[in-house]
Amino acid sequence: MQVSSFSLARLPVARLAFRPFFLLASLFGIVSMMTWLSLWRGETPLHPRGGMLWWHQHEMLFGFAAAVIAGFLLTAVQNWTGRRSLRGLPLLALVALWGAARWLLAFPVGLPSWGVMLVDAGFLIAVGAILAWLVIVARRWHNLIFLPLLGLLVLANLAMHLGAWKGSGELVRSGAHMAVLSITAIMVVLGGRVIPMFTANRHRRPRTVPRRWLEGLTLASMAAVLIVQLAELLGTATPSGVAAGLLGATALANAVRLARWNGRDAWGEPLLWGLHVSYAAIPLGLGMWALAELGAFRVELAVHALTIGAMGTMMLAMMARVSLGHTGRPIEALPGIGVALGMLVAAALLRSPMLALFPGISRVVYSLAIVLWCLAYVIFLLHYAVPLTTARIDGKEG
């Protein structure tokens, strides 16, 4: 019997992109991090394409983070444009494309490296094409800002694949850094849109009026950092002092921006303070990256301040909030979500500033940070697996 797109669209998990992608991203993040932990324990349960180090770097960026970004953007674009977003069979096909890439990378088969690369890159290309179509048809031009950022993510993904293919560790490293900074830029754009609004709405106060010069400086400096990283990816190195200055200026601009969002009003609500604290990890990570450019410590410490402190924490807070609002539930933190967010903050502090100060305790810190990450997302799944896979409680679509 043929299953129509209409009947598939009635499945709760296929109604909007946040449902399958938030669920699968959380599961995948836990499994991936536990697999990475097993390597630190001397076990090698997986022999992925590119090796375990490449697989860990790539899959936390393009498996976990890319799935969360896709789920959020393809859900939010429906609100931005007033047009129905991807659903039903087309949505499940996009999920299948994401899943196929994960499988082909974890369990290499006879498919050539270029074939795997195209499957993997095709996911974000498809997300960008869908987003572009909806935005252009609705003429909501300001939302096109996400397209070049998704384009940089695709380029970073291709660079990491080519680096693994050619055995170029430098190309892999540059691609990974491009991906981290591109995702950071997405968070800077989204954070500026939603964090002050959510904070004001929660306390029924007027939203902080953005200062144009500060918004312009924040976005322009972030763009400059991306251009410098793109130049490095293409083989043109920027003097360390110049790169450090740009990173430091971007960190300062983001810190001042955050300070104007009335974060003191957020501490009673985990879904709010989680967003404020995660955004605070952006200037922390960029500032540490500036110091790393000057030789203070390894740049990987700054990278983990961004990937765990900013990405991991903001993504959990946003997934928790979006999953409540789009399933017809009150937007209030469920029991344990504050603990989960606190675990991610602790993991970030352990994996980044703590190791910068005490590099000799690396093995213990690595393991503890991984365990905290996994426990945080287990708590999320315990609360949200049912809402993400069942119909809205108010009977509406979505």
Side-chain angles (χ1 to χ4, degrees), residues 103-351:
W103 182 268
L104 290 171
L105 289 170
F107 306 102
V109 291
L111 195 65
S113 295
W114 62 265
V116 177
M117 180 175 65
L118 292 178
V119 172
D120 190 31
F123 171 68
L124 282 175
I125 292 173
V127 171
I130 296 162
L131 185 71
W133 170 256
L134 292 171
V135 168
I136 291 171
V137 169
R139 299 178 181 270
R140 302 289 185 172
W141 306 117
H142 64 286
N143 292 307
L144 289 177
I145 190 173
F146 296 105
L147 296 184
L149 297 177
L150 289 174
L152 289 176
L153 271 180
V154 172
L155 183 62
N157 194 4
L158 294 174
M160 290 194 72
H161 277 279
L162 289 173
W165 190 359
K166 296 181 177 181
S168 171
E170 184 59 32
L171 187 55
V172 170
R173 178 176 177 272
S174 294
H177 288 178
M178 184 81 256
V180 170
L181 291 172
S182 298
I183 297 171
T184 300
I186 291 174
M187 292 189 298
V188 167
V189 174
L190 287 175
R193 290 188 181 190
V194 303
I195 297 176
M197 178 180 67
F198 290 164
T199 305
N201 290 348
R202 177 66 177 176
H203 295 279
R204 297 174 181 170
R205 296 179 180 176
R207 180 180 174 180
T208 302
V209 178
R211 293 179 178 172
R212 290 188 177 182
W213 68 267
L214 180 57
E215 295 299 302
L217 177 62
T218 302
L219 297 178
S221 60
M222 191 73 238
V225 168
L226 291 175
I227 291 170
V228 166
Q229 186 57 43
L230 178 60
E232 180 180 318
L233 185 62
L234 298 177
T236 302
T238 302
S240 295
V242 174
L246 284 174
L247 286 161
T250 309
L252 180 59
N254 276 284
V256 174
R257 190 191 198 203
L258 173 64
R260 300 191 67 250
W261 292 346
N262 296 320
R264 62 185 179 278
D265 294 336
W267 297 115
E269 173 54 56
L271 296 184
L272 278 182
W273 68 250
L275 291 174
H276 282 265
V277 170
S278 64
Y279 198 93
I282 293 177
L284 172 64
L286 293 174
M288 290 182 66
W289 203 318
L291 293 175
E293 288 286 342
L294 299 176
F297 38 72
R298 294 179 293 113
V299 72
E300 285 74 17
L301 297 176
V303 167
H304 281 89
L306 292 171
T307 54
I308 302 175
M311 296 179 203
T313 309
M314 185 178 290
M315 287 179 178
L316 189 143
M318 284 300 296
M319 287 194 296
R321 187 180 185 92
V322 170
S323 298
L324 291 173
H326 282 278
T327 58
R329 290 167 170 81
I331 302 178
E332 297 177 354
L334 300 176
I337 293 299
V339 173
L341 290 166
M343 287 178 175
L344 287 174
V345 173
L349 293 174
L350 286 170
R351 185 62 180 82

Side-chain angles (χ1 to χ4, degrees), residues 28-29 32-33 55-66 373:
F28 182 75
S32 297
M33 291 299 283
W55 181 82
H56 168 67
Q57 293 176 324
H58 181 274
E59 290 301 87
M60 292 310 294
L61 293 168
F62 295 103
F64 167 77
W373 168 287

